Amino acid sequence: MAITDATETQAGADVAAVQGAWPFEAKPLSPLMGAEVFGLDAAQPISDATRDAVLDALNRYKVLVLRDQDLTPAAQADFTRCFGELEQHVNREFRGAGVPEVHPVNNLDENDKPARGRNIGNYSWHTDKSYMPLPSLATLLYAVQLPPDGGDTEFADMEAAYAELPEARKQDLQPLRLWHSWERSREKSGSRHATDQEKQDAPPVNHPLVRTHPGTGRKVLYLGNHSSHVDGWPVERGEALIDELQTFATQDQFIYRHTWKPGDMVIWDNRCLLHRAVANFEMDKHVRILNRTVVRGDLPV
Ligand code: SIN
């Protein structure tokens, strides 16, 4: 998608029209998606009106970057709870010691030394918890410790990608359903294999490949590394379709890359985005720690 002056001017005009209604300021980060949010302290209780404004801004920008936050795990959990039910992680290694719903995302080994690690699923394109019957609405990720450079997070816009498909292709894809599997996702990302307990907690589920975003009414592609194959198709044929669509949908023109700053908390909409961490730092030398909370969403339709 070409970024033109006209696009930016239009985006600017739209922003000015909406922002008066929000109790914070939102400054777009790119014409595609993303806005920096100023004037919202996630460590303080928020009103229902502010919660609704955050959800409205999320529908609009898909990624919100709250700068200069100072959050304990308990405060992050409290803020997240304003938006719905918090998810526990299937992987018990990700359940925080103090607040189990806060998942530490890090590159530490069993001796707390920086390493490539055995939980590297976050480095593959995915949408959070699509292997659950009710996948995530939003994820909130707070920077605790960052490497000196890099350690970015990328977001790919599945609404923009779907919109670029030819009409005939959209018709072909419309009836398809994809299976999503925690077990298969672990294999695909090269992470340690799923345990029996995890397989019991998260058996495979299927969801529509093309879902309608409940907040905007727009159609999006719903796939990612947790998706394994197409319901009713030979597995290999389905894998090939997922690969092809995902390669198309994660081209540069659909991507916003977030470069973290200390104090950032990023909120993203899992219903219309894929995301992944970028291994653009020395993982066996520098520490990258972020605290993640996840809000349960609706049944994809
Ligand atoms: C995630 O996949 O939820 C975390 C992404 C990141 O580590 O940047």
Side-chain angles (χ1 to χ4, degrees):
M1 181 180 295
I3 299 172
T4 63
D5 287 344
T7 313
E8 282 176 345
T9 307
Q10 183 57 45
D14 291 350
V15 169
V18 172
Q19 275 193 8
W22 295 340
F24 46 77
E25 190 191 344
K27 192 169 152 224
L29 284 161
S30 84
L32 183 65
M33 71 171 101
E36 283 176 292
V37 170
F38 300 99
L40 181 58
D41 181 354
Q44 299 300 322
I46 59 167
S47 66
D48 290 354
T50 299
R51 177 206 56 211
D52 291 348
V54 171
L55 291 171
D56 194 28
L58 197 62
N59 284 339
R60 183 178 189 80
Y61 291 113
K62 301 183 173 84
V63 176
L64 301 178
V65 179
L66 279 60
R67 302 285 192 198
D68 303 320
Q69 302 296 311
D70 185 5
L71 291 173
T72 61
Q76 182 173 344
D78 285 347
F79 181 72
T80 307
R81 221 171 266 117
C82 298
F83 302 97
E85 196 173 335
L86 265 72
E87 289 276 8
Q88 294 267 19
H89 209 294
V90 170
N91 183 349
R92 282 167 163 68
E93 293 168 38
F94 277 152
R95 296 189 183 175
V99 187
E101 296 90 351
V102 178
H103 319 145
V105 177
N106 63 50
N107 63 319
L108 301 177
D109 67 12
E110 48 287 351
N111 301 313
D112 282 346
K113 296 277 182 271
R116 185 168 175 273
R118 58 201 211 112
N119 292 307
I120 51 173
N122 54 327
Y123 291 86
S124 300
W125 286 112
H126 64 286
T127 170
D128 281 335
K129 304 194 191 298
S130 64
Y131 49 78
M132 298 299 278
L134 298 179
S136 309
L137 185 166
T139 299
L140 293 81
L141 195 60
Y142 172 63
V144 176
Q145 189 172 341
L146 298 170
D149 295 297
D152 302 340
T153 304
E154 285 185 328
F155 300 92
D157 188 335
M158 295 301 105
E159 179 191 328
Y162 175 79
E164 289 289 307
L165 290 171
E167 278 311 312
R169 196 77 204 282
K170 289 179 182 167
Q171 299 303 322
D172 291 345
L173 299 180
Q174 185 63 41
L176 302 183
R177 297 183 69 85
L178 299 190
W179 283 93
H180 296 248
S181 157
W182 168 257
E183 180 182 4
R184 184 73 191 111
S185 172
R186 303 291 291 178
E187 291 166 3
K188 282 164 69 179
S189 68
S191 297
R192 71 133 177 84
H193 283 191
T195 64
D196 289 343
Q197 178 70 57
E198 290 168 359
K199 288 186 236 175
Q200 192 179 314
D201 290 346
V205 294
N206 70 63
H207 297 302
L209 166 60
V210 179
R211 69 178 285 192
T212 302
H213 188 287
T216 65
R218 292 197 276 269
K219 289 187 176 178
V220 307
L221 289 172
Y222 195 63
L223 25 68
N225 196 56
H226 301 320
S227 62
S228 56
H229 60 287
V230 177
D231 188 41
W233 282 20
V235 170
E236 283 177 15
R237 185 173 164 221
E239 286 174 340
L241 177 73
I242 292 169
D243 275 358
E244 183 222 317
L245 287 175
Q246 201 160 298
T247 301
F248 169 78
T250 54
Q251 295 174 89
D252 283 351
Q253 70 264 35
F254 302 126
I255 291 177
Y256 163 70
R257 179 184 281 213
H258 182 66
T259 300
W260 290 89
K261 291 184 186 169
D264 278 358
M265 182 167 74
V266 176
I267 309 176
W268 69 81
D269 189 335
N270 283 297
R271 301 166 299 181
C272 56
L273 298 176
L274 294 181
H275 64 277
R276 67 172 178 184
V278 185
N280 61 343
F281 71 107
E282 291 177 88
M283 295 174 91
D284 50 2
K285 188 163 168 201
H286 297 299
V287 175
R288 178 181 189 264
I289 304 176
L290 303 113
N291 279 343
R292 177 175 54 196
T293 40
V294 181
V295 183
R296 185 172 299 162
D298 301 322
L299 184 72
V301 287

